[in-house]
Amino acid sequence: MCVIHTPMRIEFEPAPRPQDISPQDWMDWRWQVRNRLKRFEDFSMHFALTESEIGGLREANQAFKVQATPYYASLAEPGNIHDPIRRMMIPLAEELSDGKQAMSDPLAERKYSPAPRIVHRYPDRVLFLVTDTCSVYCRYCLRKHFTGHDEAFPVRTEYQAALDYIKNQSGIREVILSGGDPLTLGDERIEEILKDLSQIPHLDLIRIGTRMPVVNPMRITNELVSRLKIYHPIFIMTHFNHAKEVTYEAAKALLRLVDNGFPVLNQMVLLRGINDSAEAVEQLSRRLLRLRVKPYYMHQCDPSLGTDHFRTSIRQSLKIQRELWGKISGLALPQLSVDLPGGGGKVGLVPDFLIEKTDSHWRFRGWDGVESTYIEPGYDHNF
Ligand code: SF4
């Protein structure tokens, strides 16, 4: 069995490959794409489905595609209906009800789209939605209004209009390639986009938001990495939600990226019954840090259609963050944030440590209950 041992002896074990699939096929990312589980019958071969899952698979597919790579499906324990991978991958009947704050476009991305495939919400950066395709459709996806509608690469005129927009806005310093998942595109396509962006003088860097290291880590080939690194600086934004997702294959993909000079940052989403505890976040953060991946954001789940059963309360999310605050290092602690529904942008949340505030001083109670005063410059101790 191949196991990666990091210097601190954390083990990363491979996904359980079914006996009838050759290692060559299993490790081929295109094979993983070709053999995705999509239909009710595909899932019922692997899992004893509950009534709620049967309802979800029969109906939810029409509203938001169901799809998973065999690799990702193999990470779920077949007999455990609460398995976190299973919960993120197989829809429940609850997904059919819109929920209390159901929004098809919770971040108002359509409103902030001045050109095809562009979302321009902050002055110095834009999202460029280069494909609507993903290897696995996460049931809590915030972009259900765009993702999974079979419009993979933008048509030529749209692509050119998006590029022209970026070229004509000199205040844009970063382009975030997103979707869908940009790494579902072929190497040539990705290189074409990077080459075009590299001609724009006011851009400082490119980010690629991808879930491929999680759901199809075989995609991070030597060939892909060699093509991408020509266009550095490129930051890779991954989306691991649970320690179970950090397998041997995922670890290999992440190490290949960081060893080739890509800073890798992880954005997780807090999901009820999946990772909504300080222990679950800590476990994931520690595994990622061993691989030199920085736990970056811990997002509040957006009120996208059919996601009420995934959402934690902000109160609970803050409790998780408070528990982690004194327990794990700043490197391991992701920033809790809420993307404001309706398009107000991200808001960072921190536990409330402030007890009292005046012109002269601020009084705090720290994570372990110790109280202390910070005196503003120019005031005495006897304020
Ligand atoms: S990878 Fe991202 S865009 Fe694709 S389904 Fe998951 S959350 Fe949505």
Side-chain angles (χ1 to χ4, degrees):
M1 178 185 280
C2 24
V3 172
I4 290 183
H5 294 273
T6 61
M8 282 78 113
R9 291 195 302 280
I10 277 222
E11 293 182 354
F12 297 91
E13 294 195 7
R17 173 176 55 83
Q19 299 274 301
D20 56 337
I21 298 167
S22 72
Q24 289 74 18
D25 280 346
W26 188 250
M27 291 309 292
D28 175 353
W29 75 274
R30 290 190 185 279
W31 182 92
Q32 292 285 342
V33 170
R34 280 196 303 275
N35 289 279
R36 282 173 295 193
L37 289 73
K38 292 180 179 171
R39 298 163 311 150
F40 166 77
E41 293 75 21
D42 301 331
F43 287 94
S44 63
M45 271 170 53
H46 294 265
F47 303 98
L49 298 168
T50 63
E51 226 169 274
S52 179
E53 288 171 329
I54 293 170
L57 281 166
R58 292 230 155 98
E59 304 288 331
N61 200 18
Q62 290 156 24
F64 185 57
K65 259 192 183 170
V66 177
Q67 194 165 277
T69 54
Y71 162 84
Y72 194 62
S74 80
L75 303 184
E77 287 167 60
N80 179 3
I81 60 168
H82 304 295
D83 184 279
I85 309 288
R86 183 166 171 163
R87 289 277 55 79
M88 289 185 267
M89 169 178 70
I90 303 181
L92 298 181
E94 283 95 313
E95 198 176 309
L96 303 170
S97 78
D98 285 345
K100 300 261 192 264
Q101 194 186 5
M103 302 172 87
S104 73
D105 178 13
L107 310 185
E109 292 181 330
R110 284 180 291 214
K111 181 169 139 199
Y112 292 102
S113 180
R117 305 291 185 120
I118 294 290
V119 180
H120 196 174
R121 180 70 194 81
Y122 302 93
D124 69 338
R125 55 203 184 273
V126 288
L127 280 182
F128 186 4
L129 308 180
V130 292
T131 176
D132 77 336
T133 302
C134 300
S135 273
V136 169
Y137 289 110
C138 319
R139 304 323 301 165
Y140 55 84
C141 180
L142 71 94
R143 200 167 287 137
K144 289 181 179 177
H145 66 92
F146 172 78
T147 304
H149 297 283
D150 292 328
E151 291 166 8
F153 196 67
V155 294
R156 275 285 142 200
T157 47
E158 283 183 339
Y159 178 71
Q160 196 51 53
L163 269 188
D164 289 345
Y165 180 80
I166 300 169
K167 272 185 208 156
N168 293 332
Q169 300 284 321
S170 57
I172 298 172
R173 310 297 292 266
E174 292 179 27
V175 173
I176 303 159
L177 300 183
S178 186
D181 193 322
L183 297 190
T184 56
L185 296 172
D187 292 0
E188 290 75 21
R189 264 289 150 75
I190 298 170
E191 199 170 358
E192 179 193 351
I193 300 167
L194 295 175
K195 200 169 174 193
D196 287 338
L197 292 173
S198 70
Q199 314 289 322
I200 302 177
H202 53 264
L203 294 185
D204 291 337
L205 62 91
I206 291 165
R207 295 193 225 173
I208 300 179
T210 178
R211 202 151 194 258
M212 287 301 241
V214 185
V215 297
N216 194 352
M218 301 76 177
R219 176 66 185 104
I220 312 301
T221 59
N222 280 324
E223 169 73 14
L224 175 73
V225 166
S226 311
R227 285 179 183 239
L228 294 186
K229 69 184 201 187
I230 298 169
Y231 302 96
H232 268 321
I234 296 179
F235 283 57
I236 304 289
M237 319 303 290
T238 56
H239 181 18
F240 288 85
N241 285 324
H242 196 278
K244 269 188 91 165
E245 295 174 326
V246 194
T247 60
Y248 169 81
E249 291 84 352
K252 242 175 96 177
L254 293 171
L255 289 175
R256 186 167 284 162
L257 288 166
V258 290
D259 286 346
N260 279 281
F262 296 87
V264 183
L265 295 95
N266 189 61
Q267 318 196 73
M268 65 175 293
V269 179
L270 277 175
L271 297 165
R272 197 198 311 168
I274 292 172
N275 59 9
D276 56 341
S277 69
E279 293 71 35
V281 179
E282 179 180 351
Q283 241 189 332
L284 172 63
S285 289
R286 292 202 187 281
R287 279 174 88 76
L288 291 173
L289 268 189
R290 298 278 162 100
L291 298 165
R292 287 170 280 152
V293 174
K294 164 75 183 115
Y296 179 41
Y297 272 122
M298 174 161 76
H299 290 294
Q300 190 70 19
C301 182
D302 297 305
S304 180
L305 293 174
T307 59
D308 258 19
H309 59 298
F310 282 122
R311 289 165 56 196
T312 55
S313 66
I314 289 183
R315 206 181 300 275
Q316 190 193 354
S317 305
L318 274 168
K319 188 169 165 277
I320 292 169
Q321 215 202 20
R322 188 175 192 108
E323 256 180 75
L324 291 169
W325 202 276
K327 211 173 159 203
I328 62 177
S329 77
L331 271 184
L333 186 68
Q335 159 79 60
L336 177 62
S337 99
V338 183
D339 236 318
L340 298 181
K346 282 191 189 66
V347 168
L349 291 172
V350 290
D352 190 5
F353 295 116
L354 188 66
I355 311 173
E356 185 189 348
K357 167 178 93 168
T358 69
D359 286 347
S360 61
H361 71 278
W362 297 60
R363 187 149 182 83
F364 301 95
R365 185 178 300 115
W367 63 272
D368 54 356
V370 172
E371 292 188 14
S372 175
T373 302
Y374 183 92
I375 300 165
E376 294 282 39
Y379 287 89
D380 327 314
H381 276 257
N382 312 324
F383 44 82

